[in-house]
Amino acid sequence: MGEQEGGSNKNIACHVRVPKWFKDRFRKFGILIGSHPIKLIALSLIVTVGLSCGMLKLTSESDTETLYTPVDSQASKDREKIQAVFEDDTGSNFFPRSLTKSDLYGDVIFSTVNVVDEDSASTIRFYIDHIKNITVTLDNIQYSYSDVCARRDGSCYRSDDTFIGSVTVGVTYPVFNNVDLPSVLGNVNAKDGKLVSAGYLKVTFHLRQDSVILRAAAIAWEDEFIKVMSTLKPENVTMSYATSQSLNKELDANTGGDITYFSITFTLMITYATIIVGGDMVSSRTWVSWAGVLAAGMGIVSSFGLVSLCGMKFVNIVGTMPFLVLGIGVDDMFLLMSSWADTYRHQDVSVENRIGMTFASAGIGITITSLTDLLAFIIGTSSVFISVRNFCVYTGVAVIFSYLYQCFFFAPCLSLHGSRVDARRHCLTCLRVKSRLDYREEDKNCLYVYSCGGTRPTEKGQDERICESGPRKILPVILLHVAGFSVDFSVTSAQPSCSERAALVVKKVKYAIVHASGPVLNGAISSLSLAS
């Protein structure tokens, strides 16, 4: 028994020594930060601006097949072998089924009552000729449709070529001039093997990709195709259009929408931080809360700049990264601010040492959360999908920078905030002011009292609004009721602290488990109590 107690005491001593060692290190780290706030803020801003310049080299990858095909998969290897054996003939002898890579094309679907009557066919031919006149300039070289079109037998190949020019003649169905009409016509009405009418005609402008330059020109032609088609307003036919890059373009468009939503989210975070933090004209924490949100934003910008500078491409899914990092960074901010509020009662301690106390209390928490988040994204970088891998790299780097900026930008701002509050300076003018009580005794009007007066808080909660203090008071009571107990925290008795309430909840829950489960769990609960 004596040996067991001795071993247990050693374990407890180790259990105490390890957290104490980390707390001491974080305390010294916090004191260092609190001693040089202006230098650290300036350094953080310089680093952010410098890294943001890396965004000038930002390139993106939007090809869906590339992003969502496993790297070095058997399918990719087999395709490379096939492409090495079968040459690309899109510039000389194009056949859709002979392609060894995704087709490049522009699609138009004409819709009317009957696309094969003379009036409709004439209108369709007019717009087809209009599309064939589309030109595009790439690297100061102009490319026409005849330059980038897929070719067969010396001329451009189009899906409807042998059909659209002969609609006035009797057309057999389903095959006419070796053309499979169901592939180009829709809503067909045929009788005795003859085409009577059709409500839809699909015309596909296939493009060549037998060289890198011509492939780039073909993709540029697709972009111009979309622009031209969006300006056409036919009267007696309806046109629907798309290209081989339409899905990629839609994903890019959604990324642009993500940027808008992120701007709104960033604004809402600042608004929330402004509303939730309380205080008077001296103890107001509005500016420092804005600094915490800005620190998260700086981490995001730095991540984009550094990763882009390293040559990693931006992918669509990375557009969701700012939302995750902003939440992680703001969470760290509120943890630091809560620990800072615990130092209010130490009136005789310098701001530098109070920053040290803040990091001793919250430093381990924000470090562990950031490290666990980072570990998850490090594991994600081993993914075989380029989209997932790039997303994890961008996000993991942003988590690191967000953590660093919370330490080296937000914490110094918190130090300046503490110095201002200790000196009783106004949050807007930085002029020394008196307390609201002093102004009332001087018979100042109500507006003057509330817009100018303020004091240094001496206890946690004095500069908090109900949004902060409410959950801390309500949640322990809710937990007690969920556990089946009620506690009377009367106004006349001393109000227990948050830790005392939590300890009471744990004690009640342990009591309930022991009596509900019987003596079998007594040993386990006793061990739990000893470890606590």
Side-chain angles (χ1 to χ4, degrees):
M1 180 67 72
E3 293 179 358
Q4 290 180 351
E5 290 180 355
S8 178
N9 290 332
K10 290 181 180 179
N11 291 334
I12 292 175
C14 182
H15 171 72
V16 171
R17 283 200 306 270
V18 172
K20 185 178 183 299
W21 186 87
F22 279 106
K23 285 185 178 181
D24 289 341
R25 297 302 177 274
F26 275 108
R27 180 180 289 106
K28 293 178 181 179
F29 179 62
I31 292 173
L32 179 64
I33 290 174
S35 301
H36 308 282
I38 296 178
K39 292 180 181 178
L40 291 175
I41 291 173
L43 179 63
S44 299
L45 292 174
I46 291 172
V47 170
T48 302
V49 173
L51 290 176
S52 66
C53 295
M55 295 178 66
L56 296 174
K57 292 199 171 187
L58 179 68
T59 57
S60 62
E61 177 61 70
S62 59
D63 183 64
T64 306
E65 184 175 355
T66 301
L67 294 177
Y68 299 101
T69 299
V71 178
D72 294 330
S73 64
Q74 188 61 44
S76 300
K77 295 177 181 178
D78 291 343
R79 170 175 285 190
E80 291 176 0
K81 292 180 181 178
I82 292 174
Q83 290 176 350
V85 174
F86 298 96
E87 295 182 356
D88 189 312
D89 290 332
T90 54
S92 58
N93 190 29
F94 175 81
F95 282 91
R97 294 187 178 181
S98 67
L99 291 174
T100 59
K101 62 183 72 173
S102 299
D103 191 13
L104 297 182
Y105 58 84
D107 260 347
V108 186
I109 298 179
F110 296 94
S111 173
T112 185
V113 176
N114 184 12
V115 295
V116 296
D117 65 25
E118 181 57 36
D119 291 338
S120 297
S122 176
T123 302
I124 291 172
R125 281 193 292 267
F126 170 80
Y127 284 109
I128 289 177
D129 292 338
H130 187 78
I131 294 171
K132 290 165 66 176
N133 290 327
I134 295 176
T135 60
V136 64
T137 301
L138 182 67
D139 295 333
N140 296 322
I141 300 176
Q142 188 177 66
Y143 296 90
S144 64
Y145 170 69
S146 60
D147 295 324
V148 298
C149 68
R151 309 184 77 84
R152 183 196 294 179
D153 299 329
S155 60
C156 293
Y157 175 83
R158 204 175 64 244
S159 61
D160 67 303
D161 261 346
T162 56
F163 166 71
I164 193 64
S166 308
V167 293
T168 56
V169 186
V171 178
T172 58
Y173 189 86
V175 178
F176 176 72
N177 284 355
N178 294 323
V179 176
D180 183 25
L181 294 186
S183 65
V184 296
L185 294 177
N187 197 17
V188 175
N189 179 19
K191 184 177 181 180
D192 297 331
K194 298 291 185 179
L195 179 66
V196 178
S197 65
Y200 298 90
L201 171 64
K202 180 181 178 181
V203 180
T204 302
F205 298 85
H206 295 280
L207 306 176
R208 65 190 298 178
Q209 46 184 322
D210 50 336
S211 73
V212 175
I213 295 176
L214 288 176
R215 178 179 173 83
I219 293 176
W221 189 90
E222 288 186 14
D223 295 337
E224 188 65 23
F225 168 83
I226 292 293
K227 294 178 182 178
V228 171
M229 295 301 296
S230 64
T231 62
L232 300 180
K233 307 294 181 184
E235 295 182 358
N236 58 340
V237 296
T238 301
M239 293 190 300
S240 303
Y241 52 91
T243 69
S244 63
Q245 303 297 315
S246 290
L247 178 58
N248 301 333
K249 297 298 182 183
E250 285 299 316
L251 292 174
D252 288 340
N254 289 336
T255 302
D258 289 338
I259 295 174
T260 302
Y261 285 127
F262 173 70
S263 302
I264 296 173
T265 303
F266 196 82
T267 304
L268 289 176
M269 281 290 188
I270 292 179
T271 304
Y272 173 76
T274 304
I275 294 174
I276 197 173
V277 296
D280 50 33
M281 290 296 102
V282 170
S283 62
S284 173
R285 295 171 294 162
T286 298
W287 293 115
V288 74
S289 66
W290 287 15
V293 179
L294 180 60
M298 291 165 60
I300 295 167
V301 173
S302 297
S303 172
F304 274 110
L306 179 61
V307 179
S308 300
L309 194 62
C310 293
M312 180 159 283
K313 292 186 177 182
F314 174 90
V315 297
N316 298 307
I317 195 174
V318 175
T320 62
M321 177 268 281
F323 301 98
L324 298 174
V325 176
L326 188 60
I328 295 171
V330 171
D331 180 60
D332 291 344
M333 175 196 77
F334 279 114
L335 284 173
L336 288 171
M337 289 180 67
S338 177
S339 296
W340 168 259
D342 289 331
T343 68
Y344 288 162
R345 62 181 180 272
H346 300 286
Q347 297 281 343
D348 56 341
V349 178
S350 66
V351 172
E352 293 82 1
N353 284 298
R354 288 171 60 197
I355 292 291
M357 296 166 64
T358 299
F359 272 88
S361 175
I364 296 177
I366 66 172
T367 301
I368 290 177
T369 56
S370 297
L371 286 177
T372 52
D373 292 333
L374 177 62
L375 179 61
F377 293 115
I378 288 176
I379 295 173
T381 59
S382 62
S383 173
V384 296
F385 296 100
I386 293 178
S387 57
V388 177
R389 185 186 63 192
N390 289 17
F391 167 76
C392 289
V393 171
Y394 272 94
T395 309
V397 174
V399 168
I400 296 173
F401 276 116
S402 178
Y403 171 78
L404 293 176
Y405 285 132
Q406 291 296 333
C407 295
F408 295 110
F409 180 78
F410 170 70
C413 290
L414 192 61
S415 176
L416 293 179
H417 164 79
S419 299
R420 179 187 62 78
V421 172
D422 283 355
R424 280 191 174 183
R425 294 187 179 275
H426 197 279
C427 64
L428 295 178
T429 64
C430 283
L431 298 175
R432 292 182 182 273
V433 296
K434 300 178 182 179
S435 67
R436 289 176 176 177
L437 180 60
D438 291 339
Y439 283 133
R440 287 194 185 96
E441 292 177 352
E442 295 177 3
D443 292 331
K444 298 293 185 181
N445 61 61
C446 184
L447 178 62
Y448 189 92
V449 170
Y450 281 94
S451 61
C452 297
T455 56
R456 178 189 187 279
T458 58
E459 292 291 337
K460 183 174 184 177
Q462 291 181 352
D463 60 349
E464 294 180 349
R465 290 181 178 154
I466 188 66
C467 295
E468 284 184 278
S469 61
R472 190 167 59 247
K473 295 177 181 178
I474 295 174
L475 285 178
V477 178
I478 295 176
L479 288 174
L480 287 172
H481 281 288
V482 169
F485 300 96
S486 60
V487 180
D488 181 19
F489 298 131
S490 62
V491 180
T492 57
S493 63
Q495 294 293 322
S497 65
C498 183
S499 59
E500 290 173 341
R501 292 184 183 217
L504 182 59
V505 171
V506 173
K507 184 183 294 185
K508 293 287 188 180
V509 171
K510 287 180 180 179
Y511 179 83
I513 293 175
V514 171
H515 285 269
S517 304
V520 178
L521 294 179
N522 281 346
I525 297 298
S526 298
S527 300
L528 178 61
S529 300
L530 182 60
S532 300

